[in-house]
């Protein structure tokens, strides 16, 4: 039975009780972070903590915890659950009750943990374009909000189209990300990714890639995607995910650059 953390207590999963008045359940009032664990150590955690503080500021959550607070919790959960490789998920919701006007700006925190494989080379995937619902360009789009209805609907659409993932658009019809990953394209040996002003989630693996190679932040449209030389996605759990094709399009993409990046990520994780 897994041991999780809930508001200062380490509890068996079956003993965690969430109130029906919980604001995450009633209003989607919160956010989350998914952190990779390699060789019993967190990977790239400072980037996650930076995004945690940004999300607290955007959502007006007052009781921000320190990085040492989360480091202590994660180390204990890794030890209690005997995790070698896996990932932890920090769920942050506004505590207290109230309706649209909360009566508290403090937070409830749940941290879960699960075993998985370490970083490995990912199979190339197919993508489709999803435009039935559009993401805003506000700062709320940059955080890992609990409101993920657009990615959910896009994932259902991709499944119906026999695609592995879907590309999302913002209200300006720019392509900004996939359902669970950031987007990069390569054209004429230049690497591009959508800027934060277009509304992508500011992914921690996105920030890792930007530190490794020269990347230009640029608004992207469908033509940019369809004429790219290479496309890859990034997220904290899988790392670098190459794209082989866009459905209903004959172009085949190479994935030399994305595999080199994933190789670097694998080698870095061996040193943890």
């Amino acid at each position: 039975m897994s041991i999780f953390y809930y508001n200062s207590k380490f509890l068996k999963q079956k003993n965690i009780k969430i109130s029906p008045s919980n604001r995450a359940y009633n209003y989607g009032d919160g956010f989350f972070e998914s952190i990779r664990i390699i060789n019993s150590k967190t990977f790239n955690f400072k980037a996650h903590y930076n995004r945690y503080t940004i999300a607290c500021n955007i959502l007006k959550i007052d009781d921000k915890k320190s990085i040492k607070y989360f480091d202590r919790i994660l180390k204990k959960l890794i030890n209690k659950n005997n995790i070698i490789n896996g990932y932890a998920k920090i769920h942050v919701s506004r505590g207290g009750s109230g309706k649209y006007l909360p009566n508290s700006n403090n937070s409830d925190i749940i941290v879960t943990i699960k075993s998985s494989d370490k970083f490995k080379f990912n199979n190339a995937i197919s993508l489709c374009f999803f435009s039935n619902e559009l993401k805003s360009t506000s700062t709320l789009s940059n955080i890992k909000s609990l409101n993920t209805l657009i990615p959910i609907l896009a994932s259902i659409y991709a499944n119906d189209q026999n695609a592995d993932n879907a590309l999302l658009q913002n209200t300006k019809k720019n392509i900004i990300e996939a359902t669970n990953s950031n987007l990069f394209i390569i054209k004429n040996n230049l690497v591009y990714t959508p800027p934060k002003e277009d509304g992508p989630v500011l992914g921690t693996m996105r920030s890792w890639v930007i530190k490794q190679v020269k990347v230009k932040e640029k608004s992207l449209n469908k033509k940019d995607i369809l004429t790219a030389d290479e496309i890859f996605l990034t997220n904290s759990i899988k790392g670098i995910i190459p794209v082989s094709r866009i459905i209903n399009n004959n172009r085949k993409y190479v994935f030399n650059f994305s595999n080199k990046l994933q190789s670097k990520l694998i080698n870095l994780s061996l040193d943890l």
Side-chain angles (χ1 to χ4, degrees), residues 54 119 142 195 212 223 247 272:
I54 290 169
F119 285 126
N142 297 145
Q212 307 306 310
K223 183 179 178 181
I247 64 167
L272 286 176

Side-chain angles (χ1 to χ4, degrees), residues 12-148:
K12 291 182 179 179
Q13 181 178 354
K14 67 178 182 180
N15 293 333
I16 293 179
K17 309 297 182 184
I18 305 298
S19 169
S21 64
N22 178 274
R23 293 189 60 81
Y25 176 76
N26 282 277
Y27 301 104
D29 190 1
F31 63 96
F32 66 95
E33 290 288 330
S34 298
I35 301 108
R36 200 65 160 88
I37 298 165
I38 304 291
N39 296 330
S40 299
K41 297 179 182 178
T42 56
F43 182 83
N44 203 23
F45 182 63
K46 285 185 179 179
H48 286 282
Y49 182 75
N50 288 340
R51 190 170 61 184
Y52 160 83
T53 61
I54 290 169
C56 284
N57 290 336
I58 290 172
L59 297 183
K60 310 298 183 185
I61 290 176
D62 294 336
D63 63 334
K64 288 191 289 290
K65 311 300 184 186
S66 69
I67 193 169
K68 290 183 179 179
Y69 169 90
F70 286 113
D71 188 59
R72 177 182 63 85
I73 291 169
L74 291 167
K75 284 179 178 177
K76 285 190 175 183
L77 286 177
I78 289 168
N79 181 260
K80 288 176 180 291
N81 292 279
N82 298 312
I83 302 294
I84 305 300
N85 300 300
Y87 57 90
K89 191 171 185 179
I90 299 174
H91 308 248
V92 181
S93 61
R94 198 184 313 272
S97 56
K99 293 189 177 179
Y100 291 104
L101 178 62
N103 64 10
S104 169
N105 286 320
N106 290 334
S107 59
D108 286 338
I109 294 177
I110 300 176
V111 186
T112 61
I113 197 163
K114 186 176 182 180
S115 291
S116 71
D117 293 333
K118 60 175 61 178
F119 285 126
K120 60 183 180 181
F121 288 104
N122 296 300
N123 293 328
I125 66 170
S126 60
L127 299 176
C128 64
F129 294 107
F130 178 75
S131 58
N132 295 350
E133 303 291 342
L134 306 175
K135 280 191 70 177
S136 79
T137 57
S138 76
T139 55
L140 287 175
S141 291
N142 297 145
I143 65 174
K144 300 282 282 186
S145 166
L146 295 181
N147 189 332
T148 58

Side-chain angles (χ1 to χ4, degrees), residues 235-248:
N235 66 45
S236 62
I237 305 303
K238 289 192 173 182
I240 316 300
I241 306 155
V243 173
S244 59
R245 67 187 184 94
I246 306 292
I247 64 167
N248 301 321

